[in-house]
Each structure stands twice: as structure tokens, then as C-alpha cells.
Amino acid sequence: MRRILVTSALPYANGHIHIGHLVEYLQTDIWVRFQKLRGQRCVYICADDTHGTAIMIRARQEELGEEELIARMKRAHIDDFAGFDIEFDHYGSTNSQATREVCEEIWTALRKAGLIDEREVTQLYDAQAGTFLADRFVKGTCLKCNAPNQYGDSCDKCGAHYSPTDLIDPVSTLSNTKPEIRTADHLFVNIEKLHGFLDQWTQGEKHLQPEVANYLKGHFLCEPLRDWDVSRPAPYFGFEIPDSPGNYWYVWFDAPIGYIGSTVEWCQKHDERFDDWWRSPETEIHHFIGKDIIYFHTLFWPTMLKAAGFNLPEKVHIHGFLTVGGEKMSKSKGTFILASTFLDHLDPSYLRYYYASKLTARMDDIDLNFEEFVAKVNADMVGNIVNLASRTARFAGQTGLSAEYPDDGGLFAKAAADGQAIAEAYESGDFARAIRIIMAAGDRANQYVEQQAPWKLAKDPTKTDRLRDVCTVGLNLFRQLAVYLAPVLPRLARQTGELLGDPIVSWDQSQTPLLGIVVNKFEHMMRRVDPRQVEAMVAASAEPAEDDSPPESIPFDNDAPLLAEPLAETIGFDEFAKVDLRVARVLSAEDVPGAKKLLKLTLGLGGDNRLNVFAGIKGVYKPEELVGRLVICAANLTPRKMKFGTSDGMIVAAGGGGGEVYLLAPDHGAKPGQRVH
RNA sequence: GGGCCCGUAGCUCAGCGGUUAGAGCAGGGGACUCAUAAUCCCUUGGUCGCAGGUUCGAUCCCUGCCGGGCCUACCA
């Protein structure tokens, strides 16, 4: 029996679980359930990741203590996971005594190994907020291309990289004040000293998927590894470093240590010896993570474990991101779906199955396509698998199952033999392959039922024995598949156990038919999905950007605007069609010296097509908040000479003028140059 | 700029140095009526991104190009 410790990446206590997170937790949960079903000793450990600047800031914004914030979020996370049948053996927190102690232990080991260096670091400091600023909390003008409103580390206009201290006119996004430059002593882990070890660990012995190993080789390991800054000066929400008062461990130092800290708690609760799990050649550690945190888990983390004498991971399983409908999840499109919203509308088994049918051992992104989602749930799960039980269990309710397994033309034996390939697929993380094999077996079983036509046998009183045999085959083929699917569909496994009075607890149950038993009353095991449920879920998730979300109820609007500006006279379509309105992107916006109301805008219609437009919106919009956004412009107006230059068109806005100007904007997805019809 | 990965039927994907390249869904036709309008049978559909090379033989290996995605460390 193998001894396996499995982790998923710790969810950050700054937000709720969404369907993107669930790719990982479901993938891990399925793998863990598979191991347990196979009889392995397997423990699934996770925890909330609770430290860092973002938590500190959020707690401040919500006027909560950090402890209260992370406690609330942990409860929410646990509920979400439970709702999807994700079963941890222990769910802890990085903000725990156990994690603190392991941090200290690893820190001491790193010191002892001479891997810690101390160096001065210059950083921006927000005096008003009283904190050093991480890069993403600073905005300013790019020193290379002068693009305004760029984050602290790099410019997304020209791609330049720089230090936030080099930004022109830096502004803290926390307080909108100008930060000052301060220096502080930081502590670094000199991981270059373990370069040789990392080369060997990442490139040999299959601890990583080949594409990950290649990526690391071509990206990090081909040059000296840079030191890793693991300390942050106060104020910081985290653990203070014992031998460096006033400094705290950076959140990414203690996050993976949370795996160990959480294991310590589990050991205490279950009277297990800690060393059996993290300091034993008998134990395999398996981490499941997303491709966004590769280097923490494949470079820094092995370094820490190696230095402190803990087990190294047997394997780091890395998955890609989730897209929805081929695009990034989007709040405004309603595809940023929270776990809790999903559960409000749909059965968690649907997502478990859908993800399983798409997940492979590679770190490819997977796409959630709603049409396919509905098709797979209805065709595979209900139409194929559950249907097997549905179409035979009722007949079998009268007769029970035969005492001996009838001749089924080798179907049971074939599916039993498939177990090997299915198990290998699960083991390697290629759940999609496992599902394909299972579905093919389901197809064969449905063909069998079709050929035997139990509904005809049922009408002939002399064929009761034959009917019982056919149902015995049908239900056993179904049960076999329920066993194979048990890691993915624990509820279906439980229901199958109840139907046949024999709980599914072991993979081996797929190898022997169940005979001579009574079949309980059949009840629906899984509902078909109605596409309208999916639509409702998307609608409930839609949260248009900014503040123009649809109100709960339709508000009453008075007629003042219409009175102020009555409808114009009726025109024909032809006249309307003469106006060529286009989507345009504001490429630049600047004050016009001497003008009271005008801003000078350069509008891009895609490619090199540009319009210069003077717009009377000064004082309502600031130039910097216009740059980059999409507007609608009248593009075929005769150019008009104005005092400050020629205007090639107009941008379209609502409002009665004065301070009331509301620029119109297309919904997300519109492209510059598209005509408005 | 550099790196990693991908490009196979309308869609999602299998496959793989060797007979006529597969599945599911979608489309077309038929059967059945036990089952959650489920199931079964038949069927339409592909110059395996493009161009070279290696080979007796390439969708599969190599090179180049085109197209797409992601990453590019003291942000996560």
C-alpha cells in the first residue's frame, strides 16, 4: 500500500472560490478519491492562504480586523468546497501556530545552511497608508514611452520593465498620494547555491510534466537563479521573523509551508506521527497547482524542503487555466461564476463530470463551453450511464438478480479488463481518457439492453428467468461503471450502493458481479440539465463593470429629460443610414491650452485609421481616464475648422450638456472600426 | 526580444514511423418505445496549418515559415 500526501494550492483569503479555482480542487479531489478507492493510504491536505499586503488592505477597506476577515473567508471557502463534494482530510490556515512553528524550523535550517543574505532594498512607501507599496499598488507614467497610468513593474503599452521607483509621477493607488522612496533591509534566499540540485530535481525522475521541465530549463535554469526576497518590513500581516524583528515573512514564504502546518494539525487530530508523512522515504507528496505558480513550487519550494530535510515532492501536477466560451472569465459577461452561484442553479456532479471529461495530464488550458457542458451532462451521464440503471432497475425490482452470472457475450469481462487502462489513466491525471473508456463501455451496455429488449420479455410471463438474466447483466454493467466513475461522481456511487444494497468502497468491486440480491426501488439518480438553468446561472453572475449593473427591479424614471429636449421630427431609414457611427478607441487625449470646454482626442478606428476630434467634455472627463477606452463617434461628418484646429468628427454622448455628459460606450467585445447599425 | 505549448471533421478532442486517420456532439435517414424526448442502426463530413528534409514509408521525427495561447523572477 502506498502512503500518499496530496495538496492543492492554498486559496487566498482575499476572495471567494469560483469555477476557475474548482478545476484544481476537483482535479485533486478526483485523484485522491481514486487513490482511496484503490486502497491506498492517501491524505488530502489544504488550507487558506491568509497573509500579505492584499489581506491587510482589504481588511482595512472592510473595516475588519485581519483575523475576522480571514475567519469569514475560511468558512465561505469550506462551504463552497463541501458543496462540490471536495473532501479534505484537513483544511487549515497559514495563520496558525503550527504553520508558524514550521516556518521557524525551515528558516533556522536555511540560516544554518548559509542560504540567507541580507540586503538593502529601495521601495516606494505610502506615508498616508503607512505601508510599503507592492508594484500593483503603484501607478505612474512609463519612463520609456510616457504612457500614463501604468503599474509599478512594467508598461503594458511599450512592454518596458522597470522598478516602481523609476516611474514618472508615481501615485499610490491606496491613498492617491505621491509615495516616497524609502529603503529597508530585506532578507533573501540564495537559491543559486542549490542550482545544481534544482537542475537535477526538475530534469530527472519525472517529478514534473515534460513541458514544465523544458520551460524551467529554458527559462530559469539556463542562467544564475536570482535571490528570492522573502521578507517584508512592517506593517505586514504575517509572521514576524524571530531573528529579524520588524521584518515579516513574505506571504509566498509561508504559503507552501501551510501544507506542512496543516499536516501537523491533521496528525495531532488523528494521532499520526508527523515524520511518517513529511520525513519518510515511504511517503509520496503530490502537489496540484496551476501554471501561474510554477516557479514557487518547482524552484523555491524544493529548495526550502531540501534545506530543511523534508520530503521532496514526488510529483507536482500542473494544470492550465479555465476559459469560458474560449475567453477569459468575465464579470460583465457573467462567466465569472462563483462556486456558490453554480450551486444555486446546478448540480455539482455536472461540473465534476465535465471537468473530468476535459482534464488531461498536460497543462493545457481547458475551456468551459456551455453548449458542450449541457450535451455532455445529458448525453453521457444521463443518457448513457444513468439510463442503464433507469431502463433495467424497474424490471429487476420484481425479480431481483440472478444467482449466477448469465452469458453476456463477454461484456462484463471486457469492461473488467478495461479497469486496468482506466486506472492508469486516472493515475496519470488523464481523466479525459478514463472517461472515454468508461463511456465506450456504457455504449456497449446500452447496445446489449437494446438487443435483449427486456421490455418485450416483461410482457411474456414465460420469460421471467430470461428477463432476470438480462437485468442482472444490465445492472452489473452499470454498477461496474459506477465504480469506475466513483472518484468523479461520489453521489452516483452512493446511490448505486443504495439501489443494490452494497456500498461502493473499492475499485475491486468492478471485477466481480453482484448476484442473487434484491434490487431496491429505483429513483432518479440525476436530472438532465435544462439550458435555461445555465442561462439563469450566467445571468445571476453577470455583473456589468462599473456601476451600471441592472437593478433588482425596474426603477421608475420621470419624464424631465424628454420635456427638456422633445423628440425630433420623424425621419426615414435612409436618412438615419447616412450617419456613419463607428466604434473608436481613444488613443490620446489632451488639454487644449486656451480652450474652456475642449479636449483634443485622437480616435483610432483600427490600423492606422485615425480621427482628430475636439470634444466639449473638458471638466467632465479627465484626459487620462479616456485614453484606451472605447467610444462611439460620428465618422463621416465634414471636417470642421475650429479655433484650435480641425475636428474630423464627433464623439457621441448623452446628457443635457453642462456638467451632464455621459459618453456612450459599446459593450465588451466591440472592436474599433465597427459600424453602429 | 527570448522561452514553453498548441494547430487533425462545423465544435470538443483521440491517435500515431506502417494497412482505407478515429470518437463524442452537431447535420441527414431509419428503428424502437423499457428509459429522464433517453436508446439502437445506417449515414454526410478531413489536401491531419504551409513548405522542405530524413525514411522503403510521416499526420506522427527534423528544419523553416504562418497562425494561436501562455510565460518572461524580488506582482500573484
Side-chain angles (χ1 to χ4, degrees):
Chain A
M1 185 168 73
R2 290 156 72 190
R3 191 159 64 213
I4 309 171
L5 189 147
V6 183
T7 70
S8 296
L10 311 188
Y12 200 44
N14 192 26
H16 289 284
I17 301 302
H18 55 66
I19 55 173
H21 293 115
L22 287 171
V23 171
E24 175 168 313
Y25 300 98
L26 289 177
Q27 179 185 41
T28 315
D29 186 66
I30 290 167
W31 199 80
V32 167
R33 284 176 184 273
F34 165 72
Q35 298 299 350
K36 289 178 175 173
L37 194 65
R38 297 278 284 177
Q40 313 298 354
R41 186 79 206 284
C42 183
V43 178
Y44 185 11
I45 299 289
C46 199
D48 258 18
D49 178 18
T50 57
H51 291 155
T53 313
I55 297 291
M56 206 166 73
I57 304 293
R58 175 152 180 171
R60 228 178 262 180
Q61 282 166 351
E62 299 198 3
E63 297 180 347
L64 287 173
E66 285 100 349
E67 307 275 351
E68 174 62 22
L69 174 73
I70 64 177
R72 283 187 193 185
M73 200 53 87
K74 184 177 171 186
R75 283 193 294 273
H77 287 175
I78 286 174
D79 287 347
D80 287 341
F81 291 135
F84 278 89
D85 298 329
I86 294 160
E87 218 168 67
F88 300 109
D89 288 279
H90 187 71
Y91 196 86
S93 164
T94 56
N95 197 46
S96 69
Q97 186 55 29
T99 301
R100 183 194 290 270
E101 284 171 13
V102 183
C103 284
E104 288 173 4
E105 183 180 350
I106 291 180
W107 185 249
T108 304
L110 290 168
R111 284 276 198 199
K112 210 166 157 189
L115 292 169
I116 304 298
D117 297 335
E118 189 160 345
R119 224 176 37 235
E120 229 177 37
V121 168
T122 304
Q123 247 189 314
L124 293 176
Y125 182 85
D126 183 329
Q128 190 166 323
T131 177
F132 283 93
L133 295 166
D135 292 352
R136 63 202 168 100
F137 293 118
V138 185
K139 282 192 160 185
T141 300
C142 172
L143 62 149
K144 297 240 168 74
C145 71
N146 284 316
N149 233 6
Q150 297 303 314
Y151 282 105
D153 52 347
S154 65
C155 174
D156 62 16
K157 287 283 181 294
C158 71
H161 290 262
Y162 40 74
S163 159
T165 51
D166 294 334
L167 274 177
I168 301 167
D169 298 330
V171 174
S172 163
T173 60
L174 300 180
S175 64
N176 267 324
T177 57
K178 184 178 176 174
E180 54 193 76
I181 294 175
R182 285 201 188 178
T183 56
D185 285 330
H186 282 231
L187 296 157
F188 293 79
V189 180
N190 186 339
I191 68 168
E192 175 60 12
K193 285 189 176 165
L194 289 175
H195 197 138
F197 156 72
L198 289 171
D199 271 334
Q200 184 202 333
W201 186 81
T202 59
Q203 302 301 309
E205 300 169 67
K206 301 201 169 156
H207 300 304
L208 303 171
Q209 291 126 292
E211 66 266 38
V212 178
N214 290 343
Y215 159 73
L216 293 172
K217 191 161 92 183
H219 213 89
F220 300 105
L221 295 168
C222 58
E223 55 188 19
L225 295 157
R226 298 210 194 149
D227 295 347
W228 181 32
D229 185 351
V230 290
S231 76
R232 294 293 182 275
Y236 194 77
F237 180 57
F239 294 139
E240 193 167 18
I241 303 175
D243 57 13
S244 182
N247 280 319
Y248 291 74
W249 282 306
Y250 172 48
V251 56
W252 262 109
F253 181 79
D254 62 48
I257 293 176
Y259 299 143
I260 301 181
S262 192
T263 310
V264 169
E265 291 177 341
W266 175 80
C267 287
Q268 286 163 357
K269 212 158 78 184
H270 294 85
D271 207 20
E272 290 277 337
R273 284 185 49 219
F274 172 80
D275 282 356
D276 286 347
W277 293 91
W278 277 96
R279 283 194 229 264
S280 159
E282 304 292 309
T283 300
E284 302 170 28
I285 310 282
H286 289 256
H287 296 303
F288 285 79
I289 63 165
K291 64 183 182 181
D292 51 336
I293 53 177
I294 288 177
Y295 70 76
F296 292 104
H297 283 82
T298 58
L299 299 176
F300 300 140
W301 181 231
T303 299
M304 289 157 72
L305 293 171
K306 174 83 174 166
F310 288 105
N311 273 20
L312 288 161
E314 172 65 23
K315 179 144 190 187
V316 182
H317 306 251
I318 300 171
H319 61 81
F321 295 141
L322 178 73
T323 56
V324 181
E327 297 176 2
K328 273 180 144 175
M329 295 192 296
S330 142
K331 286 188 177 172
S332 61
K333 286 190 174 178
T335 55
F336 193 96
I337 298 166
L338 295 180
S340 55
T341 311
F342 187 99
L343 294 173
D344 286 342
H345 295 85
L346 296 165
D347 183 333
S349 297
Y350 300 165
L351 198 67
R352 293 184 68 101
Y353 177 75
Y354 184 75
Y355 282 171
S357 78
K358 308 271 289 188
L359 279 166
T360 69
R362 285 204 306 259
M363 66 164 179
D364 299 340
D365 291 351
I366 68 168
D367 185 50
L368 168 55
N369 175 289
F370 290 125
E371 231 171 276
E372 186 193 32
F373 174 83
V374 171
K376 275 197 191 248
V377 168
N378 289 344
D380 293 1
M381 286 208 294
V382 181
N384 187 346
I385 303 298
V386 173
N387 188 39
L388 271 176
S390 183
R391 65 196 307 200
T392 51
R394 271 177 257 257
F395 297 124
Q398 333 259 318
T399 63
L401 297 190
S402 309
E404 279 182 40
Y405 193 73
D407 179 12
D408 65 358
L411 285 175
F412 190 90
K414 166 96 173 76
D418 282 346
Q420 176 77 14
I422 296 168
E424 280 166 17
Y426 271 125
E427 176 68 39
S428 73
D430 195 348
F431 301 166
R433 175 192 292 274
I435 296 292
R436 277 197 304 275
I437 301 171
I438 293 169
M439 287 305 137
D443 286 339
R444 294 195 301 268
N446 270 303
Q447 285 162 23
Y448 172 85
V449 175
E450 195 74 21
Q451 283 158 13
Q452 301 303 321
W455 56 92
K456 285 182 186 161
L457 300 174
K459 286 172 188 158
D460 184 344
T462 67
K463 293 188 173 156
T464 311
D465 287 351
R466 182 68 199 139
L467 175 63
R468 182 168 50 225
D469 280 354
V470 169
C471 291
T472 299
V473 171
L475 280 173
N476 267 297
L477 294 177
F478 164 72
R479 172 170 170 270
Q480 210 170 19
L481 302 183
V483 173
Y484 292 149
L485 285 168
V488 179
L489 301 174
R491 291 187 192 189
L492 181 70
R494 203 192 62 233
Q495 291 165 320
T496 304
E498 284 165 8
L499 178 70
L500 301 175
D502 183 56
I504 290 175
V505 293
S506 159
W507 187 265
D508 293 340
Q509 288 170 288
S510 64
Q511 303 300 303
T512 321
L514 206 54
L515 297 168
I517 52 136
V518 174
V519 175
N520 292 314
K521 185 170 186 300
F522 180 78
E523 284 168 23
H524 274 201
M525 292 176 159
M526 196 177 292
R527 301 250 156 234
R528 292 168 58 79
V529 199
D530 185 328
R532 282 175 298 190
Q533 292 171 274
V534 176
E535 285 164 23
M537 175 180 74
V538 171
S541 301
E543 175 195 303
E546 308 302 325
D547 56 348
D548 51 354
S549 52
E552 291 294 328
S553 59
I554 299 172
F556 177 74
D557 301 310
N558 70 29
D559 58 359
L562 211 53
L563 285 173
E565 195 171 1
L567 285 177
E569 64 176 284
T570 301
I571 59 168
F573 177 77
D574 289 348
E575 283 185 81
F576 167 73
K578 286 181 186 167
V579 182
D580 194 342
L581 297 171
R582 296 283 171 162
V583 176
R585 191 180 298 286
V586 179
L587 298 178
S588 72
E590 52 190 90
D591 275 326
V592 182
K596 282 180 194 164
K597 291 187 183 172
L598 294 180
L599 290 181
K600 183 181 176 187
L601 306 180
T602 306
L603 303 181
L605 294 174
D608 290 323
N609 304 297
R610 290 176 186 192
L611 295 176
N612 275 309
V613 171
F614 288 89
I617 54 174
K618 183 176 180 175
V620 183
Y621 288 90
K622 291 178 190 161
E624 59 268 24
E625 57 181 316
L626 290 170
V627 173
R629 67 167 279 181
L630 295 178
V631 296
I632 305 296
C633 73
N636 62 338
L637 281 174
T638 312
R640 176 171 179 148
K641 274 188 190 161
M642 302 176 77
K643 183 175 173 185
F644 306 97
T646 302
S647 184
D648 298 326
M650 290 177 70
I651 58 174
V652 179
E660 278 224 278
V661 178
Y662 307 106
L663 287 182
L664 300 190
D667 271 348
H668 181 76
K671 293 177 184 58
Q674 287 178 333
R675 184 164 183 186
V676 179
H677 296 284

